[in-house]
Amino acid sequence: MIQLKAVSKWYGQLQVLKEIDLQVNEGEVVVLIGASGSGKSTLLRCMNFLEQSDSGEIYLFGEKVDPKESDLNWIRQEVGMVFQHFHLFPHKNVLENIMEAPVYVKKKKKKEAKEMAWKLLCKVGLEDKANVYPGSLSGGQKQRVAIARALAMEPKAMLFDEPTSALDPELVGEVLSVMKELAKEGMTMVIVTHEMGFAREVADQVVFLDEGRIVETGTPEKIFEHPSEERTSQFLSQVL
Ligand code: ADP
Ligand code: MG
């Protein structure tokens, strides 16, 4: 579904991604871990072309993407993204937040978009919040709305960049459980998170990134119980 071949990215003199090879299969959950500054966000942003890599190749849904030729707006619809900070529209209520892109970007009929928004609100457990404004929601509720809003574009894959890092600890679980549910339904997901328990439970593949390089990839068991690289053990001993 998503494949990167020798993807590199520089910011000026600083190489933040170093020949990244990564394959995400349909229905798979891939969790990216690594220290702050290791390139996790940049890697995610390259996958849906919010950011462009400087070299290497990226394939989406079996086709090589050429940023000059491909329809990047279409790609960003097909590969949804959820951020640490929720970026909801403050002057629109919850239902309108979810309907916005389907109506104005995808040109869906309002009635259809509304029906879908309701379904998604039920899915994230917020059907009683349809008419309230983001300002009156908790962080966990806002993030669940952000997830519903991303799903409203009917993406083929979803990227999550530290979706629970800005939340009070007691609100983390409600967001993770929505993500677990999505995983169970077979959504293809790439998730940057520091929630190692979640990674252990949900990931098919865990990828450890250090200074822009993939140090090690494997099942949660392998990475968490038997890492083969010293760097991985070191990192895990700091976070576990
Ligand atoms: P992570 O998400 O793992 O914390 P990032 O992908 O955000 O890492 O950043 C990787 C490196 O790239 C860091 O050294 C960061 O300072 C640098 N960086 C990120 N975005 C930019 C940018 N827009 N301009 C310059 N440097 C950046
Ligand atoms: Mg980041």
Side-chain angles (χ1 to χ4, degrees), residues 11 14 16 35-43 162:
Y11 285 120
L14 179 69
V16 294
S36 173
S38 57
K40 305 179 299 295
S41 294
T42 306
L43 182 55
E162 300 198 29

Side-chain angles (χ1 to χ4, degrees), residues 107-225:
K107 312 290 179 203
K108 252 197 194 290
K109 291 207 181 72
K110 272 207 169 144
K111 183 168 173 281
E112 247 174 80
K114 197 170 202 168
E115 275 167 17
M116 185 197 273
W118 271 110
K119 261 189 218 148
L120 289 169
L121 271 186
C122 294
K123 190 187 193 104
V124 301
L126 290 173
E127 57 274 39
D128 55 333
K129 299 290 182 190
N131 297 312
V132 311
Y133 286 81
S136 64
L137 298 175
S138 73
Q141 292 169 335
K142 283 181 197 166
Q143 193 59 297
R144 286 187 280 153
V145 173
I147 293 172
R149 186 178 58 172
L151 291 173
M153 292 303 274
E154 303 177 287
K156 291 198 178 79
M158 289 274 283
L159 311 177
F160 294 84
D161 194 357
E162 300 198 29
T164 61
S165 294
L167 302 179
D168 291 334
E170 74 272 20
L171 304 178
V172 167
E174 65 193 57
V175 171
L176 294 181
S177 66
V178 167
M179 294 167 65
K180 272 180 215 167
E181 199 53 42
L182 272 182
K184 226 188 270 171
E185 289 170 11
M187 176 60 83
T188 307
M189 309 203 273
V190 183
I191 304 167
V192 173
T193 186
H194 299 291
E195 296 292 333
M196 297 299 159
F198 170 81
R200 228 180 255 245
E201 198 181 326
V202 178
D204 296 299
Q205 266 192 83
V206 177
V207 176
F208 171 54
L209 210 62
D210 185 46
E211 296 182 355
R213 198 170 266 124
I214 292 181
V215 173
E216 190 166 354
T217 299
T219 61
E221 260 151 1
K222 170 171 184 293
I223 299 293
F224 294 121
E225 319 294 343

